[in-house]
Amino acid sequence: RVHGAFRFETFIMAPKVAKKAPAKSAGKGKKKKLSIRYVLDCTHPVEDGIMDVASFEKFLNERIKIDGKTNNMGNNVSLERQKSKVILNADIPFSKRYLKYLTKKYLKKNNLRDWLRVVASQKDTYELRYFQINNEDEEEDDADE
């Protein structure tokens, strides 16, 4: 006999109980219509004249991929422009992160990435903001020379 070995006859297993199927609701529930709305707020760069919202909207229209294909938006995804904001409405799952990725790609293409950043100001809104650069230190260095 080996010490520390389990003796199987001492363990009593509980009898298996058949699991009941989850109860279905009385009526056939329709899926809730998915409606996603994202806003890209370009107010600051547009007011300063360094960015054009029309070209940004055109860029997004050309680049957004649905099911792996560009120019495949159909009725599921739509872009609209309101003054200095671009609004994307989607009836299918659409990633907010993908919108940020495309925005950064646009900024890089137009050499604006060094001055602007994409910040989520609300749950469904991205805002283009300027980087906060401290010029005070540079001015002090210039004065010492």
Side-chain angles (χ1 to χ4, degrees), residues 98-129:
Y98 181 53
L99 210 53
K100 182 175 184 177
Y101 162 76
L102 288 172
T103 305
K104 289 164 83 170
K105 200 172 176 111
Y106 173 82
L107 293 175
K108 186 71 177 171
K109 181 184 169 196
N110 291 297
N111 298 321
L112 298 171
R113 189 80 175 83
D114 294 336
W115 291 278
L116 294 171
R117 63 190 195 131
V118 186
V119 180
S121 56
Q122 295 172 4
K123 188 174 185 283
D124 63 344
T125 305
Y126 276 124
E127 184 180 345
L128 296 180
R129 291 187 187 164

Side-chain angles (χ1 to χ4, degrees), residues 4 9 15-16 20 27 31 35 43 53 57 59 65 70 75-77 83 90 97 102 116-117 124 131 133 140:
E9 59 270 3
K16 283 190 173 182
K20 294 179 183 176
K31 285 188 178 178
S35 182
T43 308
V53 184
E57 184 187 23
F59 176 87
K65 285 187 177 182
T70 56
N75 297 330
N76 296 327
V77 179
K83 294 182 183 175
R97 191 82 181 87
L102 288 172
L116 294 171
R117 63 190 195 131
D124 63 344
F131 284 110
I133 302 167
E140 289 173 7

Side-chain angles (χ1 to χ4, degrees), residues 21-37:
K24 293 185 178 178
S25 59
K28 289 190 176 183
K30 292 183 179 178
K31 285 188 178 178
K32 186 178 148 188
K33 178 119 176 160
L34 182 67
S35 182
I36 300 170
R37 182 175 186 266

Side-chain angles (χ1 to χ4, degrees), residues 71-103:
N71 298 325
N72 190 23
M73 298 211 293
N75 297 330
N76 296 327
V77 179
S78 65
L79 274 175
E80 60 182 270
R81 185 173 69 234
Q82 291 180 355
K83 294 182 183 175
S84 60
K85 293 182 181 180
V86 177
I87 298 166
L88 179 129
N89 294 306
D91 297 332
I92 56 173
F94 194 89
S95 171
K96 183 180 172 194
R97 191 82 181 87
Y98 181 53
L99 210 53
K100 182 175 184 177
Y101 162 76
L102 288 172
T103 305

